[in-house]
Amino acid sequence: MKRIVFILALYLMVQFACKPSTEQSTSQADTLAQESMPKVSAEEQALIDGYSKLFGVLPSKAENAANPSSEAKIALGKQLYFDARLSKSGNISCNSCHNLASYGVDNLPVSLGHKWQKGVRNSPTTLNAALHFVQFWDGREPDVEAQAKGPETNPIEMGAPHPQFVVDRLKSIPEYQQQFDAVFAGDSVTLTYDNMAKAIGAFERTLLTPSRFDAYLAGDAQAITADEKKGIETFKAVGCTTCHIGPLLGGNMFQKFGLVKPFTTYKISNDLGKAAVTKNEADKYMFKVPSLRNSTRTYPYFHDGSIWNLEQAIRIMADTQLGKQLTDPEVRDITNFMATL
């Protein structure tokens, strides 16, 4: 009997000694991945370092201290994002205009809302939106939580007559009441319009899309092609980085659309932009600079969705914003770079 116990103990000791811990396994995997990554030349590393300072790497999280997330809150927010019962008709959800199957947009010039009414501006993507410095084209809301309270009661969008209409409908669904009770257990009243928006916001804060460009900035020189690398340099040389900088390549400032040449040249709608909110003459035609991430998939372009072709959009931006007429090779270079995003 003692011999059996001794052999069993010896076997377990050997197994434990040979089995790496999860931490060791992860560390070894990371080391192997780094070793298998081709070495970057000093010249290219200098370029990468310069790009990193100009753009930066997309953050891995988009947290809001005022709205701490949890798995349950994110799950509730996702459910609400796809639930058409937040609209008066029961036919329109957040995903209707910000379809996650098509990169967070509906690929329409302007979205169709309540009673098939048309909006006046192109629906921007919800992907990476939580990292923008303000929300909406005119910047009228500070974050995705505040933004999430707008569409439900907009008569053109989801058509609910008032916030309580939405709350009452959610309260009529026992499962929702249970979920809100669990997620917002510390609140005296759990199922509120604000908490609905907090849950949706928590979900939208997970919609981050790291790309091949981020892998390149992290040191993977083969993550993008030679043509795409050339595109970065053209993008810089032309002057696109005047506005499209930072991890989102945009989304961090306002700019006048038609800075050098009036955009009415292209028969784009006479939207006053930020001035429609502030009533300030200096804000006329000022719009939030859009992020270029996923822009090869989030057509049509501009605040009114008037341009379907990316190459045409690039030419218009160079002309109206920089006063430059781009050559075909320059447009091709910039398009190649944008494909890495």
Side-chain angles (χ1 to χ4, degrees):
M1 182 65 180
K2 290 181 179 179
R3 177 172 176 151
I4 294 173
V5 172
F6 174 76
I7 293 172
L8 179 59
L10 183 62
Y11 171 78
L12 291 174
M13 289 174 63
V14 171
Q15 287 293 103
F16 181 78
C18 293
K19 184 179 180 180
S21 67
T22 302
E23 186 175 342
Q24 289 173 327
S25 299
T26 303
S27 177
Q28 290 171 356
D30 290 342
T31 301
L32 288 172
Q34 291 173 358
E35 289 177 350
S36 63
M37 190 180 294
K39 298 296 182 182
V40 180
S41 68
E43 181 181 6
E44 183 148 33
Q45 187 60 56
L47 286 173
I48 291 174
D49 291 343
Y51 299 148
S52 295
K53 291 178 182 178
L54 183 61
F55 301 114
V57 178
L58 188 75
S60 60
K61 295 181 180 180
E63 295 181 338
N64 179 2
N67 183 29
S69 65
S70 66
E71 289 187 11
K73 184 185 285 187
I74 292 169
L76 173 59
K78 181 177 182 180
Q79 191 172 331
L80 291 166
Y81 186 94
F82 285 93
D83 197 335
R85 290 174 291 189
L86 270 62
S87 66
K88 184 177 181 179
S89 66
N91 291 319
I92 302 170
S93 69
C94 302
N95 195 65
S96 298
C97 302
H98 305 284
N99 191 338
L100 298 186
S102 53
Y103 293 83
V105 300
D106 57 10
N107 296 122
L108 294 173
V110 293
S111 297
L112 295 176
H114 186 58
K115 294 184 177 179
W116 312 114
Q117 297 175 89
K118 288 185 177 182
V120 295
R121 290 178 181 156
N122 180 257
S123 293
T125 178
T126 46
L127 300 184
N128 307 301
L131 295 173
H132 286 228
F133 84 122
V134 291
Q135 301 298 312
F136 292 110
W137 282 100
D138 54 25
R140 64 184 181 272
E141 295 295 353
D143 52 38
V144 290
E145 286 81 7
Q147 185 279 329
K149 292 190 286 186
E152 293 85 354
T153 56
N154 186 308
I156 294 177
E157 295 182 37
M158 297 174 80
H162 47 73
Q164 193 59 42
F165 176 92
V166 180
V167 171
D168 290 343
R169 181 170 285 181
L170 292 175
K171 283 184 175 180
S172 73
I173 305 165
E175 291 81 358
Y176 266 137
Q177 184 65 70
Q178 293 167 10
Q179 288 174 275
F180 275 86
D181 287 346
V183 171
F184 299 99
D187 295 0
S188 56
V189 180
T190 60
L191 206 167
T192 66
Y193 197 68
D194 282 350
N195 284 348
M196 173 207 73
K198 286 180 179 179
I200 294 173
F203 170 60
E204 290 190 2
R205 289 182 179 279
T206 68
L207 303 178
L208 306 183
T209 61
S211 66
R212 290 189 294 119
F213 184 57
D214 296 289
Y216 178 65
L217 294 183
D220 183 357
Q222 294 187 340
I224 62 179
T225 68
D227 286 341
E228 291 165 345
K229 292 173 186 177
K230 182 184 177 186
I232 306 174
E233 287 302 304
T234 302
F235 185 83
K236 286 176 55 185
V238 166
C240 303
T241 51
T242 303
C243 299
H244 295 285
I245 56 173
L248 299 178
L249 289 89
N252 56 4
M253 67 173 73
F254 289 108
Q255 184 56 276
K256 181 180 180 180
F257 191 14
L259 186 63
V260 175
K261 179 182 293 185
F263 63 70
T264 50
T265 300
Y266 298 97
K267 298 182 181 179
I268 296 172
S269 61
N270 192 34
D271 188 330
L272 295 180
K274 188 181 177 185
V277 177
T278 66
K279 311 305 179 185
N280 187 337
E281 182 72 16
D283 290 332
K284 284 182 70 173
Y285 313 127
M286 296 288 284
F287 294 91
K288 180 179 69 173
V289 175
S291 165
L292 296 185
R293 284 188 177 270
N294 303 302
S295 53
T296 60
R297 298 290 184 268
T298 54
Y299 46 81
Y301 304 105
F302 303 151
H303 62 277
D304 63 350
S306 59
I307 303 300
W308 284 86
N309 182 274
L310 179 58
E311 290 78 8
Q312 184 184 4
I314 292 170
R315 291 182 188 278
I316 291 174
M317 291 303 293
D319 190 19
T320 60
Q321 305 305 105
L322 300 169
K324 295 182 178 180
Q325 300 292 322
L326 298 187
T327 65
D328 289 346
E330 286 174 326
V331 173
R332 184 168 58 250
D333 287 348
I334 293 172
T335 303
N336 287 338
F337 166 52
M338 291 172 72
T340 72
L341 302 173

